[in-house]
Amino acid sequence: MNHSGVNWTALTVFLLFFVLVTVMGFLASRWRRADNAQHLDEWGLGGRSFGTWVTWFLLGGDLYTAYTFVAVPALIYGAGAAGFFAVPYTIIAYPLVFLFLPRLWSVSRVHGYVTPADFVKGRYGSKSLSLVVALTGILATMPYIALQLVGIQAVLDVLGVGGSADSNWFVKDLPLFLAFAVLAAYTYSSGLRAPALIAFVKDTLVYLVIIVAVIYIPMRLGGYGAIFDSAAQKFSAVNPATGKPVGSLITGPKAQWTYATLAFGSALALFMYPHSVTGVLASKSRNTVRRNMAIMPAYSLMLGLLALLGFMAIAAGVGKGVKGFNPQLSVPQLFENMFPDWFTGVAFAAIGIGALVPAAIMSIAAANLFTRNIYKEYLKPTATPADETKVAKLASLLVKVGALAFVLLMDKQFAINLQLLGGIWILQTFVSIVGGLFTRWFHRWALLAGWAVGMGYGTWKAYGVSSAATKHFGGSSAEIPGVGEIGYIGLTAFVLNVLVTVVLTLALRALKAPEGADETSRADYTAEAPPASPVKVPAPSDSPDSPEAPEPAVAH
């Protein structure tokens, strides 16, 4: 490292990988090129043509992000065992979603649905319910995209790139601007094919770095016994401000409700995010989805190993004695301290590309929601497939610009808090989406009311949580009414959502309130891929049998 503080060797390796994925991103537009590229199925869902391995890498790149790489070990570095909730929640999630994702894939393929809000509209005949599902998805996704920037910024800070803290804002954040300009360009050009192709590089690098880290770093630190001893000493120290230990190596009895509810609630929410659904709907067959849900837990093993990096950072003395040290820098700093410079560049490339892949998928998913469920539904009902594709491309650019502005103009702590709030919000769409995949019993007005109660309660309770860093939205746990234990706010809001939906459905059915038209049939939920064409080409919009045709007028 030279006197300017820039690690030139690591930076060079990092840039080489960045150039590689940029070239791949632009070349992806020629990968499996379709006859009609001006269709949202092509740009936004990769032609619905991805097989088992492409889908596996795409979903892995989608769900295990740079923020995961940075935040999970950072939480363990700061608080200890509480950070391990991410491991059981991913283990719980896959058996759960194995039950309903194949059904969502089948009905979406039959009817040409691109987003979960498309399905909700078709199932319940309610534009209002479809709109709130779409808005919730966009709202929950925006801070998630912004937090990918936190991962890139952490790497750039440790690399010493972007100027010093007293540089003007443009010089300081110029590398970030360039990274996202390139991301925006190849996403606009190639759509979902770009992150699908780049995910191969990203996941290979992540696995390589973590396997090397969990073998090589403990060898340098005296083994895992020494690492856990160091962590135990740190967490047993008393915080003068609170009079309590700063953390715990093992989850204590008082924290078990929080740990369990957070893990279970997060598992329910994981595949409600629009980017998760986008990855699933891009699969070419129902069996592809089922196989992926069976092999995705391999990523949970990787996540468990990744979490141990938080303990390693403690043992390596990362941030020790540094006033106001940012735990988000603990993993990048650990890599720079422990690895040779060239491998530090490889590790930083894994984190950086680990931000670009999910950010691309998230922006595409948010653009699909805006295009199908706001623009086409309310602004231009006569939009052609080519119009939809054009608007989706522009919307994906705006989403990225919004995320960039979000991080640059607002406090990072606020971005993290909003992402926690995003998890609470997105969980409130579970009843409409998953409930609708198995039954038509719920009434659409009851689902709207349940959603509103869940959103309102979750936001209100989260607003009242304070922390050392912030007065409001300081966490995602609060006392569970009637139980008296501290638990995940999102799960409590979800239970209230279900209760309100069930009670109101009973009342509305007793009153014979009008129900919307259901355009799906029982057979749609178990349909396999059409043998001839993997992409559903809509009939002309004036055809009475077309899914693009106006629906019969129903009360909403």
Side-chain angles (χ1 to χ4, degrees):
M1 188 181 293
N2 73 1
H3 66 281
S4 69
V6 177
N7 187 334
W8 290 106
T9 304
L11 179 60
T12 302
V13 175
F14 176 83
L15 288 175
L16 285 173
F17 277 104
F18 187 80
V19 170
L20 170 67
V21 298
T22 300
V23 171
M24 289 178 69
F26 285 110
L27 290 178
S29 62
R30 302 182 181 183
W31 178 44
R32 302 183 179 189
R33 182 181 286 175
D35 294 334
N36 176 18
Q38 293 303 307
H39 197 291
L40 201 57
D41 273 6
E42 290 298 330
W43 184 84
L45 291 180
R48 303 185 191 250
S49 63
F50 297 151
T52 302
W53 287 111
V54 177
T55 303
W56 188 67
F57 279 106
L58 180 66
L59 285 173
D62 195 359
L63 301 175
Y64 297 90
T65 68
Y67 185 60
T68 310
F69 216 125
V70 168
V72 171
L75 182 56
I76 287 166
Y77 173 90
F84 277 100
F85 85 92
V87 179
Y89 106 63
T90 58
I91 293 169
I92 296 166
Y94 298 116
L96 274 174
V97 299
F98 187 88
L99 297 174
F100 68 81
L101 281 181
R103 295 177 70 85
L104 179 61
W105 181 91
S106 290
V107 72
S108 298
R109 176 57 65 95
V110 171
H111 291 277
Y113 299 147
V114 175
T115 68
D118 282 350
F119 163 68
V120 167
K121 182 192 168 205
R123 181 60 153 160
Y124 299 103
S126 172
K127 287 185 179 180
S128 306
L129 190 58
S130 170
L131 178 64
V132 300
V133 168
L135 290 175
T136 306
I138 294 170
L139 198 61
T141 301
M142 284 294 289
Y144 215 156
I145 301 171
L147 283 188
Q148 302 315 309
L149 295 174
V150 173
I152 294 181
Q153 280 188 321
V155 166
L156 294 176
D157 283 351
V158 175
L159 277 172
V161 176
S164 60
D166 55 357
S167 301
N168 74 64
W169 66 271
F170 183 77
V171 172
K172 187 172 185 300
D173 293 311
L174 183 59
L176 206 55
F177 291 143
L178 296 175
F180 255 59
V182 171
L183 168 69
Y186 66 64
T187 307
Y188 184 93
S189 157
S190 306
L192 194 65
R193 286 177 171 82
L197 199 56
I198 294 168
F200 282 93
V201 177
K202 176 249 181 187
D203 288 1
T204 302
L205 285 176
V206 167
Y207 271 106
L208 173 67
V209 169
I210 291 177
I211 290 168
V212 170
V214 298
I215 296 171
Y216 177 74
I217 295 177
M219 286 168 61
R220 292 198 56 187
L221 295 175
Y224 278 100
I227 289 169
F228 285 112
D229 281 346
S230 298
Q233 286 176 25
K234 177 189 172 179
F235 296 134
S236 62
V238 175
N239 183 339
T242 63
K244 297 177 181 177
V246 296
S248 64
L249 197 60
I250 299 171
T251 306
K254 290 185 178 177
Q256 286 174 3
W257 270 84
T258 307
Y259 187 90
T261 54
L262 183 56
F264 185 58
S266 300
L268 293 178
L270 183 62
F271 275 87
M272 294 299 99
Y273 279 103
H275 56 279
S276 306
V277 175
T278 297
V280 170
L281 297 188
S283 306
K284 71 177 180 182
S285 73
R286 180 183 173 91
N287 278 337
T288 298
V289 177
R290 290 160 64 88
R291 280 194 293 268
N292 265 278
M293 293 309 105
I295 61 178
M296 281 297 287
Y299 279 100
S300 300
L301 172 63
M302 181 269 287
L303 188 61
L305 298 175
L306 172 65
L308 293 174
L309 297 177
F311 289 149
M312 294 180 202
I314 295 170
V318 171
K320 194 171 184 180
V322 179
K323 190 175 179 183
F325 177 74
N326 180 3
Q328 305 286 347
L329 300 178
S330 57
V331 168
Q333 195 63 60
L334 172 71
F335 288 164
E336 183 166 68
N337 292 357
M338 292 284 113
F339 288 146
D341 286 350
W342 69 270
F343 197 76
T344 299
V346 174
F348 286 177
I351 300 175
I353 298 168
L356 297 179
V357 170
I361 303 168
M362 289 169 191
S363 66
I364 289 167
N368 288 346
L369 281 167
F370 172 79
T371 302
R372 288 298 290 254
N373 308 113
I374 297 174
Y375 173 75
K376 184 174 173 63
E377 200 63 62
Y378 293 95
L379 303 178
K380 191 178 180 184
T382 58
T384 64
D387 291 336
E388 287 182 8
T389 305
K390 183 180 176 184
V391 169
K393 287 182 172 184
L394 292 172
S396 77
L397 292 179
L398 290 174
V399 165
K400 291 187 195 70
V401 171
L404 191 59
F406 197 97
V407 164
L408 296 180
L409 301 178
M410 295 184 182
D411 181 69
K412 286 189 186 64
Q413 183 60 45
F414 186 62
I416 292 167
N417 294 345
L418 267 190
Q419 201 276 326
L420 292 172
L421 201 55
I424 295 170
W425 288 336
I426 203 68
L427 183 52
Q428 307 318 310
T429 65
F430 187 96
V431 188
S432 299
I433 298 169
V434 179
L437 289 169
F438 292 95
T439 177
R440 187 58 169 74
W441 182 76
F442 295 120
H443 196 283
R444 57 197 170 135
W445 296 346
L447 286 164
L448 262 175
W451 170 86
V453 168
M455 290 284 283
Y457 175 84
T459 307
W460 168 61
K461 291 300 284 186
Y463 180 81
V465 179
S466 61
S467 71
T470 178
K471 239 182 219 188
H472 303 293
F473 301 118
S476 55
S477 298
E479 187 174 311
I480 305 170
V483 176
E485 299 283 354
I486 302 297
Y488 179 42
I489 293 167
L491 193 60
T492 309
F494 170 74
V495 171
L496 287 173
N497 182 343
V498 173
L499 289 173
V500 168
T501 301
V502 169
V503 170
L504 281 183
T505 295
L506 289 169
L508 289 165
R509 285 189 170 280
L511 293 170
K512 293 187 167 44
E515 295 185 36
D518 179 5
E519 69 180 24
T520 70
S521 67
R522 184 185 293 270
D524 296 345
Y525 295 89
T526 53
E528 296 291 344
S533 171
V535 177
K536 182 180 176 68
V537 180
S541 58
D542 58 354
S543 164
D545 297 323
S546 167
E548 305 291 331
E551 289 188 345
V554 289
H556 291 285

